[in-house]
Amino acid sequence: MIEDWQETRIEDIAERIAMGPFGSDIKVDNFVPQGVPIIRGGNLSSGRFNDDNFVYLTEEKADKLSAANAFPDDIVFTHRGTLGQVGIIPKTKFTRYVVSQSQMKLTCKTNLAAPPFIYYFFKSNIGQQALLINTSQTGVPAISRPVTSLKNITILLPPLPEQHRIAHVLGTLDDKIENNRKTAKTLEAMAQAIYKSWFVDFDPVRAKMAGESPESICKRLKLTPEILDLFPDRLVDSELGEIPEGWGVGTFGDYADIVGGSTPSTNNSAYWLSGIHSWATPKDLSSLTMPVLLATENKITDAGLQQVSSRLLPVGTVLLSSRAPIGYLAIAEIPVAINQGFIALKPHNHEHCIFLLFLIKHNMEEIISRANGSTFLEISKAKFRPIPVVFPAQDILQSFAKLAMPLFLRIVSLEKITRILAVQRDTLLPKLISGEIRVPEAEHLIEKAARPL
């Protein structure tokens, strides 16, 4: 055992361990627009505590469920449903929460244990294995006797100052990852706002029709006079409703070549063993925080690639999952082959990939409405191709690309950095938690990795 590190039971460092209330204690009828937020599985699904999509209880109802109240620095676990989820409650605008019936919470004795260190222990493989050792897969997955199971877990605990130092190193990496993701989402929102203004709401056209001065329009919509001049001053009828004069109605095929994929036989190792070509399934898109594909879980060989009719798709291809479920979207930033669960769009102009992504998003309801299937909904290429979509003037498309592509390229850069940071964190986490490496060595490794090549 590492000097000064003590093997300790969670029960010995716990101020309190408690489960959420019985399901009958929280009903939909209890939800109110504002109040005390309820922590559910979705709030733990991003790897850190996610403070979006809360439902709320009144202060009075939360008081009645006091045993299930949780506070900043409490650690929350899912004990039924998506097991393995864990989060630490941050110090935010909410001073208390209620954990749902599928969660339990741990309040640490802070004179013995630093809550962030305990959180990272349970994020590590060692902690996850200990947490999930007593699980039942009958019906809904659940941890058997969750409170007792948690109490009996043993942890190798360093002195309190060392716990804080370890948590700080890992937390700094997580903070950088989180900041990158927030910045990327802001950039995506900026690009999408321009798309909506120009190609959905037709704001420049409507402003001209209303007689607003060019100076006012440019200032309000953040346009240059040259871009404003590209927009007409009139809307005309079309099969899609009113569209700007001079624009047309086309299909996705007017923007891109539309192809599908396939799966090389998994019984033939020659297609998979030591694969070198990225091969995507919709699962590769399911966990993306941004619509950028940088890696795939599986790779195929040259022989395997010959089994995929669309072969290797180029960077800039827009991928849409076409079944189970319909709607995952990403732009490939690597050459990639795909399975049969996609419709892939290879833009005729690479710079139009971000426009095409938003065009698909905007038409998602229509896409899904054309899907069919008895086991699960699927949209075929034959039904996807003829969907009518707006077809703007080319000079406006080019102007949009000049504004949106730098934003997208910045998103790609942030996502690449985030992947590097995540690898660093995931590599250091088990080594720091187990004492295999100490904080100074970890800091040196992070500093070395950050140096330019």
Side-chain angles (χ1 to χ4, degrees):
M1 184 181 298
I2 302 168
E3 185 180 357
D4 295 334
W5 290 44
Q6 300 293 323
E7 192 171 89
T8 308
R9 294 170 71 235
I10 293 297
E11 182 177 26
D12 297 329
I13 61 168
E15 189 73 44
R16 182 176 178 81
I17 298 175
M19 294 173 61
F22 291 110
S24 59
D25 289 334
I26 299 180
K27 300 177 181 177
V28 174
D29 294 344
N30 300 138
F31 297 164
V32 292
Q34 293 182 335
V36 180
I38 301 174
I39 299 174
R40 299 176 292 174
N43 301 113
L44 308 177
S45 61
S46 63
R48 298 190 93 186
F49 190 84
N50 176 9
D51 58 359
D52 292 332
N53 302 316
F54 282 129
V55 293
Y56 301 89
L57 299 174
T58 64
E59 296 284 347
E60 293 75 17
K61 183 66 174 178
D63 288 341
K64 292 179 181 178
L65 301 172
S66 59
N69 282 194
F71 303 89
D73 273 345
D74 281 355
I75 302 164
V76 182
F77 309 84
T78 297
H79 66 78
R80 185 185 66 173
T82 307
L83 302 182
Q85 293 180 328
V86 56
I88 183 167
I89 300 178
K91 296 177 176 67
T92 61
K93 60 182 179 180
F94 298 109
T95 57
R96 70 165 169 165
Y97 303 75
V98 172
V99 294
S100 80
Q101 59 267 34
S102 295
Q103 325 302 136
M104 60 179 171
K105 62 105 178 207
L106 162 65
T107 304
C108 294
K109 296 176 180 176
T110 53
N111 63 321
L112 298 177
F117 177 86
I118 304 303
Y119 160 75
Y120 280 114
F121 167 77
F122 281 108
K123 291 294 292 182
S124 72
N125 288 336
I126 296 173
Q128 286 283 297
Q129 290 172 7
L131 186 65
L132 302 179
I133 195 169
N134 296 314
T135 59
S136 169
Q137 297 298 326
T138 302
V140 177
I143 298 175
S144 304
R145 302 174 64 209
V147 171
T148 301
S149 294
L150 183 58
K151 285 181 177 180
N152 289 331
I153 291 173
T154 59
I155 178 173
L156 194 58
L157 204 63
L160 193 58
E162 182 76 359
Q163 294 179 46
H164 285 295
R165 286 192 290 269
I166 291 171
H168 176 73
V169 169
L170 297 170
T172 298
L173 290 171
D174 267 336
D175 289 342
K176 289 179 179 178
I177 290 170
E178 186 68 18
N179 288 337
N180 282 353
R181 286 177 174 161
K182 287 181 178 178
T183 301
K185 285 185 179 296
T186 299
L187 293 170
E188 182 189 25
M190 290 169 60
Q192 190 156 355
I194 299 171
Y195 171 86
K196 184 174 184 294
S197 176
W198 292 17
F199 304 112
V200 178
D201 298 332
F202 312 131
D203 288 336
V205 180
R206 295 185 187 281
K208 284 186 174 183
M209 292 171 61
E212 186 176 349
S213 71
E215 294 79 9
S216 175
I217 297 173
C218 288
K219 182 177 181 180
R220 182 169 62 85
L221 298 181
K222 298 180 174 58
L223 300 175
T224 65
E226 294 76 17
I227 291 178
L228 180 61
D229 286 343
L230 300 176
F231 287 89
D233 58 4
R234 185 167 172 248
L235 294 173
V236 297
D237 289 332
S238 77
E239 65 178 287
L240 294 174
E242 289 188 326
I243 62 173
E245 187 177 37
W247 293 19
V249 174
T251 66
F252 288 110
D254 292 318
Y255 295 101
D257 295 329
I258 299 170
V259 299
S262 56
T263 301
S265 173
T266 55
N267 294 324
N268 190 334
S269 61
Y271 298 155
W272 301 93
L273 192 60
S274 303
I276 57 174
H277 303 292
S278 295
W279 178 80
T281 72
K283 181 183 176 183
D284 290 304
L285 274 59
S286 65
S287 60
L288 296 180
T289 57
M290 296 302 298
V292 177
L293 183 66
L294 293 170
T296 59
E297 182 179 348
N298 297 298
K299 292 190 175 185
I300 54 178
T301 63
D302 286 332
L305 186 60
Q306 295 304 308
Q307 304 302 307
V308 182
S309 59
S310 51
R311 299 296 192 268
L312 209 58
L313 302 174
V315 169
T317 299
V318 181
L319 303 178
L320 166 67
S321 64
S322 56
R323 64 183 187 185
I326 299 170
Y328 291 147
L329 270 170
I331 297 173
E333 278 300 304
I334 52 172
V336 65
I338 56 173
N339 83 340
Q340 60 275 17
F342 286 109
I343 290 174
L345 297 92
K346 298 190 292 183
H348 299 151
N349 184 329
H350 171 78
E351 290 189 335
H352 293 168
C353 63
I354 187 71
F355 171 85
L356 196 51
L357 181 89
F358 292 143
L359 186 67
I360 295 171
K361 273 189 177 183
H362 177 65
N363 287 278
M364 192 61 72
E365 187 174 332
E366 177 66 21
I367 291 169
I368 293 174
S369 75
R370 297 188 178 217
N372 56 28
S374 55
T375 305
F376 48 75
L377 285 178
E378 180 173 8
I379 176 75
S380 67
K381 294 190 294 296
K383 291 190 174 182
F384 178 82
R385 285 192 176 100
I387 294 174
V389 292
V390 67
F391 197 80
Q394 286 298 310
D395 48 7
I396 293 178
L397 271 179
Q398 287 302 110
S399 294
F400 176 76
K402 288 180 180 179
L403 291 174
M405 279 304 291
L407 299 177
F408 177 70
L409 293 175
R410 177 62 178 150
I411 291 170
V412 173
S413 177
L414 286 167
E415 285 295 293
K416 288 179 178 178
I417 294 170
T418 296
R419 286 180 61 84
I420 293 170
L421 292 170
V423 169
Q424 283 186 335
R425 179 203 59 203
D426 295 344
T427 301
L428 291 174
L429 174 56
K431 295 181 178 181
L432 282 168
I433 291 295
S434 66
E436 180 181 339
I437 65 172
R438 309 307 286 268
V439 168
E441 184 181 354
E443 291 175 334
H444 173 72
L445 291 172
I446 293 172
E447 181 185 354
K448 183 179 178 181
R451 293 172 189 160
L453 298 175

